[in-house]
């Protein structure tokens, strides 16, 4: 088996304003989780999908149509713990760690980042920062303008050799990292950045959900121009 996708979907809906896991919210005719998993399930380079979620019963019901889903495992108290849980069920040579709330990822992006990981050992999807960046001083005033030429917003999937990232997670069990790239950097890994899409948003707030719905509607050709223009 070549590639496993670990879909990390064990978070809460606090910023979404709901009292349940936001991946169960509806998005363009199905849930966020189903939309995310469907892209990996349809992708030829993915052999296996592991979903990290604490509602095994609901996941079993929703994900039954997806043949590549091999396991649903419980998450932990942090994203890092949840990733570690997902990695324990991954059997591929490479693992693609992906946020369950990034439902707008595309098959070409998945294929490109995996190809780069095979070539360089590790890779991630990212987009160049579009905003002007400022560094502030301790009093909250602008201290300098940061050159954004080499500044990226890093997204997911983030791809690693499975055994290597497993060992890294085991070695830093009591340390906290913002994502798996930050963890791998700690061990000196060189991670190739692959151009992604600004559409690959993490659905976190109600506004994100509205935007994601609009993007999917446009992709499907069902965009409605209500202005008449």
């Amino acid at each position: 088996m070549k590639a496993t996708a670990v879909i990390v979907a064990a978070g809460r809906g606090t910023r979404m304003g709901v009292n349940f896991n936001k991946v169960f919210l509806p998005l363009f005719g199905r849930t966020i989780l189903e939309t995310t998993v469907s892209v990996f399930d349809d992708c030829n380079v993915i052999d296996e999908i592991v979903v990290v979620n604490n509602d095994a019963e609901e996941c079993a019901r929703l994900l039954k149509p997806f043949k590549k889903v091999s396991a649903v495992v419980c998450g932990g108290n942090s994203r890092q713990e949840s990733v570690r849980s997902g990695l324990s069920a991954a059997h591929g040579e490479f693992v693609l760690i992906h946020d369950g709330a990034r439902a707008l990822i595309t098959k070409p992006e998945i294929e490109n980042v995996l190809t780069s990981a095979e070539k360089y050992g590790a890779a991630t999807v990212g987009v160049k920062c579009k905003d002007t960046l400022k560094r502030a001083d301790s009093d909250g005033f602008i201290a300098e303008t940061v050159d954004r030429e080499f500044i990226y917003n890093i997204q997911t999937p983030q791809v690693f050799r499975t055994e290597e990232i497993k060992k890294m997670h085991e070695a830093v069990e009591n340390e906290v990292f913002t994502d798996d790239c930050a963890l791998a950097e700690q061990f000196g890994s060189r991670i190739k950045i692959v151009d992604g899409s600004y559409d690959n948003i993490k659905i976190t707030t109600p506004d994100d959900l509205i935007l994601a719905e609009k993007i999917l509607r446009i992709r499907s050709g069902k965009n409605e121009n209500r202005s008449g223009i």
Side-chain angles (χ1 to χ4, degrees), residues 80 84 160 163-175 177 179-191:
Q80 201 165 312
R84 192 180 300 124
F160 308 90
E163 291 307 314
E164 290 181 5
I165 196 67
K166 280 183 179 180
K167 290 176 182 177
M168 292 177 193
H169 269 275
E170 291 166 1
V172 295
E173 188 171 349
N174 297 317
E175 298 180 51
F177 296 88
D179 68 354
D180 297 283
C181 285
L183 186 156
E185 290 168 46
Q186 182 79 2
F187 289 87
S189 296
R190 298 186 75 237
I191 305 160

Side-chain angles (χ1 to χ4, degrees), residues 70-82:
S70 61
V72 176
V73 298
C74 289
N77 293 321
S78 67
R79 184 185 185 278
Q80 201 165 312
E81 289 180 12
S82 294

Side-chain angles (χ1 to χ4, degrees), residues 197-211:
S197 167
Y198 294 100
D199 286 352
N200 186 21
I201 61 172
K202 188 174 183 181
I203 302 172
T204 304
T205 67
D207 286 344
D208 295 332
L209 192 60
I210 293 169
L211 176 58

Side-chain angles (χ1 to χ4, degrees), residues 19-36:
N19 59 0
F20 56 89
N21 192 326
K22 65 187 175 187
V23 297
F24 296 129
L25 284 168
L27 175 64
F28 200 55
R30 49 187 173 182
T31 63
I32 293 172
L33 181 59
E34 288 173 283
T35 305
T36 303

Side-chain angles (χ1 to χ4, degrees), residues 8-143:
V8 186
R12 300 174 179 84
T14 306
R15 283 180 286 178
M16 185 62 74
V18 295
N19 59 0
F20 56 89
N21 192 326
K22 65 187 175 187
V23 297
F24 296 129
L25 284 168
L27 175 64
F28 200 55
R30 49 187 173 182
T31 63
I32 293 172
L33 181 59
E34 288 173 283
T35 305
T36 303
V37 171
S38 69
V39 184
F40 288 87
D41 197 66
D42 289 341
C43 191
N44 291 333
V45 299
I46 300 299
D47 301 286
E48 171 189 63
I49 300 170
V50 175
V51 176
V52 185
N53 189 281
N54 293 320
D55 193 336
E57 184 177 342
E58 182 65 3
C59 280
R61 183 183 71 81
L62 289 175
L63 303 179
K64 189 175 180 180
F66 303 113
K67 304 305 181 185
K68 292 180 183 178
V69 176
S70 61
V72 176
V73 298
C74 289
N77 293 321
S78 67
R79 184 185 185 278
Q80 201 165 312
E81 289 180 12
S82 294
V83 171
R84 192 180 300 124
S85 180
L87 290 173
S88 69
H91 301 101
E93 179 185 354
F94 285 89
V95 61
L96 297 87
I97 302 169
H98 186 68
D99 297 323
R102 289 191 188 271
L104 302 177
I105 189 67
T106 65
K107 288 190 286 184
E109 289 162 2
I110 294 169
E111 292 164 358
N112 290 342
V113 74
L114 179 57
T115 298
S116 288
E118 291 171 338
K119 181 176 180 179
Y120 298 105
T124 182
V125 174
V127 291
K128 280 198 169 186
C129 183
K130 295 190 290 186
D131 298 322
T132 298
L133 300 176
K134 305 289 184 180
R135 186 180 65 81
D137 62 20
S138 58
D139 295 317
F141 291 91
I142 292 175

